[in-house]
Amino acid sequence: MKETENFQTTLAAAACALLGTTLATRAAADEADKRWAFDSSLLYYGESDDRVQDISAMLSAQRSFGDERTLAATLTADTLTGASASGAIALDTPQTFTSPSGRAVYTTQPGDVPLDDTFLDTRFALNASWTQPLARLYTLSAGLGFSTEYDYTHLGANLSLARDFNKRNTTLSASVAWSQDDVDPVGGAPRPLSQMLDVGNSANKLGSDSKDVLDLLVGLTQVLGRNTVLRVNYSYSDSNGYLNDPYKILSVVDPISGDTVTRVPVGEGPTGVYVYESRPDSRTKQSLNAEVKHAFGARVLHVAYRFMTDDWGIDSSTAEARVRWPIGADSYIEPQLRYYTQNEADFYRASLVNGQALPQYASADFRLGDFDATTVGVKFGHRTASGNEWSTRVEYYQQSGQVPGDQIIGNQARREQYPDLRAVVVQFGYRFGL
């Protein structure tokens, strides 16, 4: 299960608010005899140090029925492999862990941040939506989404209504999206803060679980001039149910040395004391997003800023800028720069101290920690003589985080506990009509 906090559903809510304009614009650009429009892409994502690798294929189809009525569907398949950080701290000695299935062990070498190299998943997703005018100035959109992977099933629905004002220079939109996710972790969902046990001992494991997510979005799109468009969105997301990552753990450490407390397994099992994380069973997120597009002749500048806050104590900011620069009549290049920063969750803990009472909530997941990330990329696109378009995008991602100083104990100060992360993204896309 990936810690996306139902990102796909949130994205669907945002996207369906724009369907009334985005899809209609693309349909109008098609030739009169081409009622089908297709977008396809193949993406590779690879992290440094043999960590997570992802290969993803996507095919999106849109059918125009005239009168601004459109049917759209997207099919996605992706495969993830590699190693994922477990949450345990690095030590000067080897560490052995019980795998999530509970049927084997894996070992981390001295000095290395523990990675679970059993990470493997394949995901398939299908989303479909219908958009049509509703009265003269209204546009209605509705959609369904389904995705499945080895340990996770997602089912969602969304609905959007947009209203044009001011000679269609102003558009107000409202969207709602709901989803239910069923979680069936490999080996069973562990009891929060229960200790990792030996191979074959599943006394700390439960069955499957689920969560519900409700997303609301209100948006405003305003034409500011012949060459400038502003879009502002406010979104609210409420998640309830099983929000833990069942594969993340925390080390229980000595209060003086800061090293993981050792443990003698019975047969095969962990060589240290580790407990599974515990997160609240609800999360409320709010975000405000602003985007501006401005055309300098044939060149188009896009800048955006997003602020998010939640009741887990995380505040994040994302700033992005890109410029589409024509090359001749049929090609373009689009450089991009994005910066992201967030603080740690209230219950983020690099480790737990042996002998102290367990907190109600605790997680050492780096994604809930304090980190900054920068993405630099460039996209090249070309329109063929037949009107189709192909593009190639390359991005470089670098993330740097830190453990709060008051959470560093003893020997932890001389070892890397929050390593930098680097990743490369390469995507090839092809757009065509029939």
Side-chain angles (χ1 to χ4, degrees), residues 210-257:
S210 65
K211 67 177 179 181
D212 297 316
V213 181
L214 176 66
D215 293 303
L216 304 174
L217 183 143
V218 178
L220 169 69
T221 302
Q222 177 65 51
V223 177
L224 299 179
R226 291 186 60 186
N227 301 319
T228 308
V229 177
L230 168 68
R231 178 180 296 129
V232 179
N233 291 330
Y234 165 79
S235 63
Y236 173 90
S237 178
D238 182 58
S239 304
N240 288 277
Y242 185 81
L243 304 183
N244 290 335
D245 186 324
Y247 308 127
K248 299 302 182 185
I249 60 176
L250 299 97
S251 300
V252 178
V253 303
D254 181 87
I256 304 301
S257 69

Side-chain angles (χ1 to χ4, degrees), residues 167-299:
K167 298 182 180 180
R168 296 188 182 271
N169 289 316
T170 305
T171 301
L172 289 175
S173 59
S175 304
V176 58
W178 169 88
S179 71
Q180 177 176 314
D181 300 338
D182 293 323
V183 186
D184 188 16
V186 176
R191 289 187 174 87
L193 299 180
S194 65
Q195 187 172 326
M196 179 180 287
L197 302 177
D198 296 323
V199 170
N201 187 345
S202 58
N204 64 337
K205 297 294 185 72
L206 304 171
S208 59
D209 215 320
S210 65
K211 67 177 179 181
D212 297 316
V213 181
L214 176 66
D215 293 303
L216 304 174
L217 183 143
V218 178
L220 169 69
T221 302
Q222 177 65 51
V223 177
L224 299 179
R226 291 186 60 186
N227 301 319
T228 308
V229 177
L230 168 68
R231 178 180 296 129
V232 179
N233 291 330
Y234 165 79
S235 63
Y236 173 90
S237 178
D238 182 58
S239 304
N240 288 277
Y242 185 81
L243 304 183
N244 290 335
D245 186 324
Y247 308 127
K248 299 302 182 185
I249 60 176
L250 299 97
S251 300
V252 178
V253 303
D254 181 87
I256 304 301
S257 69
D259 293 336
T260 303
V261 175
T262 58
R263 173 184 181 274
V264 179
V266 179
E268 287 188 307
T271 54
V273 178
Y274 312 100
V275 299
Y276 292 95
E277 70 165 28
S278 173
R279 306 184 189 187
D281 60 5
S282 65
R283 185 181 188 183
T284 298
K285 297 190 293 184
Q286 299 182 75
S287 64
L288 185 65
N289 182 76
E291 303 175 67
V292 175
K293 288 186 177 181
H294 180 78
F296 298 90
R299 298 181 298 275

Side-chain angles (χ1 to χ4, degrees), residues 41-88:
S41 68
L42 181 64
L43 179 145
Y44 168 79
Y45 169 86
E47 296 181 354
S48 56
D49 303 321
D50 297 322
R51 295 181 64 172
V52 175
Q53 315 288 314
D54 180 24
I55 297 177
S56 176
M58 183 276 293
L59 177 63
S60 177
Q62 176 189 286
R63 173 69 157 87
S64 173
F65 292 89
D67 297 327
E68 298 184 347
R69 296 175 301 143
T70 54
L71 174 67
T74 301
L75 176 64
T76 305
D78 56 302
T79 300
L80 294 97
T81 59
S84 176
S86 67

Side-chain angles (χ1 to χ4, degrees), residues 23 43 75-76 78 90 94 103 107 114 137 150 164 167 205 214 216 232 235 248 265 291 303 311 324 366 383 392 431:
L23 294 179
L43 179 145
L75 176 64
T76 305
D78 56 302
R103 296 192 294 266
T107 300
L137 298 174
Y150 187 75
D164 292 328
K167 298 182 180 180
K205 297 294 185 72
L214 176 66
L216 304 174
V232 179
S235 63
K248 299 302 182 185
E291 303 175 67
V303 293
D311 58 357
R324 176 167 293 205
F366 292 153
R383 189 172 182 86
T392 300
R431 178 181 297 173

